[in-house]
Amino acid sequence: MPDSVPSRDAGRMRAKKHSPIGASPGTLIADPTAQKPILTLTVISPAGSKTFSNASVDDVRRERGHWPLVWLDCSGLADVGLVQEIGQLFGLHPLSLEDTVNTGQRPKADFFDTNVFVVLTMIDDHITNRPEQISVFFGSDFVVTFQEREGDPFDPVRKRLEAATASRLRAKKADYLAYALIDAIVDSYFPCIEQLNGQIDAIEDEILTGLGKDQVGRLHLLRRRAGQLKRALWPTRDAIAALLRSDSVVITPETKIYLNDTYDHAISQLEAVESARDMLTGLIEMHLSLSQARTNDVISFLTIVSAVFIPLTFLAGIWGMNFDPDKSPFNMPELESYYGYPAALGFMALVALLTICFFKWKKWI
């Protein structure tokens, strides 16, 4: 797992994309940067499953009537016509489709007569910790997922569907498959949080070893990253709680037992992120305190040196004046002393020593 600190751009929350002002509710407008959609259809029965890559809507219509459960995954949101066609095929609400296309939505769960809509933020790449919105629709016999781009944490779910042995995923209804996907989304935050904690521990060791100029900047970037995770996990926890409280006929009581475990995962992640954020705040304050202490030590040292040399400078200034002892006995007669130079240096050394002893007696050094 990489130890690099996220960049400034990676630590920023993505701006939510909106429909044009005054547009009719349910208006779908594609993001110019959206990727071309790729459909993957997985048909499921207790006996086994089959996956169709690069599927079409016609494939979905044909296969849906022959299998008790279908999972359609759409990676890419550039074709709003295709999104609308999928929505009509499965009876998805236009407002939910609008939230699907307008990415950057706050995680939530909406309930309709025949299906449930859940929008979440997942980590699709643990190298860059890249966030991505995913929309999950599920009814009695289908699950539809919309992703911004290819790449997701669903490989364990796909392997369980393809397993030769009996699979609970194949035997149960769509709500259990939706739970498995939501659980994978929530679990996708664990590596990111572990990486964050590892980076915090590394910077803490660096600070205790020696202060660096770039440490505060790295701490602020990590704190921003922790804030981003918190803003994603907090509503995710609320969305899962809404699924648990729901009386929708689409969600069975047995599935709610498993969702409760996912809810516990979300809570533990949120607590871990809040703890990391508090630790980062403490490290920033500790770094500032250590920096101030080091500055105070430097200032104290310079003050002591200055205090020692002030009387010496005074003496050197007096002896450096242009006296003429031939003019008057008051014109510094000791200037003609045979041992005047070493005597002056010795007297100055004695003054410096007495000054240092006075500082030690006062416990200033």
Side-chain angles (χ1 to χ4, degrees):
M1 194 168 295
D3 294 331
S4 60
V5 178
S7 65
R8 295 183 183 274
D9 292 336
R12 298 183 186 276
M13 289 295 292
R14 298 179 303 158
K16 179 180 176 180
K17 300 177 178 64
H18 300 271
S19 298
I21 297 175
S24 175
T27 301
L28 304 186
I29 297 179
D31 182 1
T33 62
Q35 296 185 4
K36 183 180 179 181
I38 299 175
L39 298 182
T40 302
L41 175 64
T42 303
V43 291
I44 305 165
S45 71
S49 65
K50 184 178 180 181
T51 300
F52 297 85
S53 301
N54 295 318
S56 65
V57 177
D58 292 335
D59 294 332
V60 179
R61 290 194 183 96
R62 184 184 65 252
E63 298 294 336
R64 187 181 180 188
H66 299 86
W67 296 80
L69 177 60
V70 297
W71 170 24
L72 178 62
D73 178 61
C74 178
S75 299
L77 303 173
D79 189 348
V80 295
L82 177 62
V83 174
Q84 287 177 326
E85 192 174 1
I86 294 173
Q88 293 173 358
L89 178 61
F90 291 98
L92 309 181
H93 199 281
L95 290 178
S96 299
L97 295 176
E98 180 182 5
D99 290 341
T100 297
V101 175
N102 297 332
T103 57
Q105 300 289 328
R106 186 178 187 271
K108 63 176 182 177
D110 292 335
F111 303 92
F112 304 95
D113 293 337
T114 59
N115 61 78
V116 178
F117 168 57
V118 182
V119 57
L120 299 171
T121 301
M122 68 179 180
I123 306 298
D124 64 358
D125 184 359
H126 292 145
I127 303 299
T128 60
N129 293 324
R130 181 179 58 182
E132 174 187 349
Q133 174 177 303
I134 180 167
S135 301
V136 181
F137 296 87
F138 62 96
S140 60
D141 60 349
F142 71 88
V143 176
V144 179
T145 54
F146 291 95
Q147 306 182 41
E148 295 185 55
R149 51 186 170 262
E150 289 188 276
D152 54 49
F154 298 149
D155 285 343
V157 178
R158 296 186 179 98
K159 290 179 180 179
R160 289 165 60 188
L161 288 172
E162 297 169 357
T165 57
S167 171
R168 187 184 291 117
L169 275 175
R170 297 199 302 264
K172 294 188 177 295
K173 295 184 178 180
D175 61 331
Y176 188 83
L177 175 58
Y179 144 73
L181 298 177
I182 293 172
D183 186 65
I185 293 169
V186 173
D187 288 349
S188 69
Y189 284 90
F190 277 118
C192 184
I193 295 174
E194 292 175 359
Q195 178 183 343
L196 177 65
N197 288 328
Q199 292 170 344
I200 293 174
D201 293 339
I203 294 183
E204 182 180 19
D205 293 339
E206 288 182 21
I207 292 175
L208 295 177
T209 302
L211 298 180
K213 294 182 179 180
D214 66 330
Q215 290 170 346
V216 172
R218 292 160 60 195
L219 288 171
H220 277 288
L221 289 177
L222 289 176
R223 191 170 184 270
R224 181 184 296 170
R225 176 62 177 160
Q228 180 189 21
L229 291 173
K230 181 179 179 180
R231 287 190 293 272
L233 288 171
W234 195 286
T236 297
R237 180 200 62 177
D238 295 341
I240 299 173
L243 294 174
L244 290 171
R245 295 192 303 265
S246 170
D247 56 358
S248 174
V249 296
V250 177
I251 307 175
T252 62
E254 183 181 1
T255 300
K256 289 183 178 181
I257 297 175
Y258 294 99
L259 281 171
N260 190 67
D261 180 67
T262 304
Y263 179 76
D264 292 339
H265 290 179
I267 290 179
S268 64
Q269 290 174 349
L270 188 57
E271 291 175 348
V273 170
E274 289 180 338
S275 176
R277 199 164 184 266
D278 292 340
M279 184 177 297
L280 285 166
T281 301
L283 287 176
I284 292 173
E285 294 175 352
M286 183 179 72
H287 190 282
L288 294 176
S289 298
L290 292 176
S291 298
Q292 292 175 355
R294 186 171 65 175
T295 302
N296 292 337
D297 290 340
V298 173
I299 293 175
S300 298
F301 175 77
L302 295 177
T303 302
I304 292 172
V305 171
S306 300
V308 170
F309 277 90
I310 284 175
L312 305 183
T313 305
F314 172 74
L315 294 175
I318 292 178
W319 281 320
M321 297 173 66
N322 295 323
F323 291 106
D324 187 3
D326 295 335
K327 295 290 185 179
S328 168
F330 299 103
N331 279 353
M332 196 70 77
E334 60 269 19
L335 291 175
E336 295 183 340
S337 173
Y338 184 79
Y339 295 101
Y341 182 66
L345 291 179
F347 180 71
M348 294 170 69
L350 178 62
V351 171
L353 181 61
L354 292 175
T355 303
I356 295 174
C357 291
F358 176 77
F359 288 163
K360 285 187 172 291
W361 177 64
K362 283 292 194 177
K363 296 182 180 181
W364 291 347
I365 58 174

